[in-house]
Amino acid sequence: MRETLADAGTGALVTIVLSFLPFSSIAGGAVAAHRDGGGYTRGLWVGTLAGVAAMLPLLVLFVPALYIAGLLGFGIPPSAPAYDLFLGLVFGFFLAYTVGISAVGGVCGVWVRRNTDWNLDPGRWR
C-alpha cells in the first residue's frame, strides 16, 4: 500500500509541476502507473489516486482564480442566483479533467510499460 501511495504521489507531483501544460494529468497518471508495475485495472486505480492527490493542491489555486474571474465578469458573477449551479458545474468539470484524465493516463502508462522500452521512472532522472 505504501508503494502505491508513493507512486500516486509521484504522479501527482508530475501533474503539479507540469500543470502549466494542457493535459498534464495524463503525464502524471502515466508516470504513477508505470512506476507501480501492475495491470491495466491497477494502472487505472493508481492514475485515479494520482489525480485525486494532484487535485487538492490545484484547488488552492483554482478557487481564488474562479472567484476573481467571476468578479471581473467572466462566467457568472458571485452575486447571481445561479452561481451555486455554476460552481457545481465548474467543479464537476475540474474533477473530470484532473482525476478522469489522470486515470486515462494511468492506463496509458501501463500500455507504455508493456509495449515499449521507454523508461518513465523519474527516479532515474537525477
Side-chain angles (χ1 to χ4, degrees):
M1 183 68 173
R2 281 188 183 196
E3 294 84 17
T4 302
L5 293 177
D7 295 336
T10 303
L13 184 65
V14 168
T15 299
I16 292 167
V17 168
L18 297 177
S19 64
F20 63 94
L21 297 173
F23 303 107
S24 64
S25 298
I26 290 177
V31 167
H34 190 277
R35 283 185 49 120
D36 189 59
Y40 287 106
T41 306
R42 182 138 173 108
L44 184 72
W45 170 246
V46 173
T48 302
L49 282 178
V52 169
M55 181 187 66
L56 298 175
L58 290 175
L59 273 176
V60 172
L61 300 173
F62 184 70
V63 171
L66 183 64
Y67 183 75
I68 291 169
L71 289 177
L72 294 175
F74 299 104
I76 297 176
S79 61
Y83 189 66
D84 293 337
L85 176 63
F86 173 70
L87 283 180
L89 288 173
V90 168
F91 282 119
F93 287 128
F94 178 72
L95 180 72
Y97 178 80
T98 306
V99 177
I101 292 180
S102 185
V104 171
V107 173
C108 292
V110 172
W111 182 88
V112 165
R113 189 186 65 253
R114 287 186 175 183
N115 296 306
T116 65
D117 292 333
W118 299 343
N119 190 357
L120 296 179
D121 185 14
R124 70 176 192 87
W125 295 349
R126 297 181 208 160

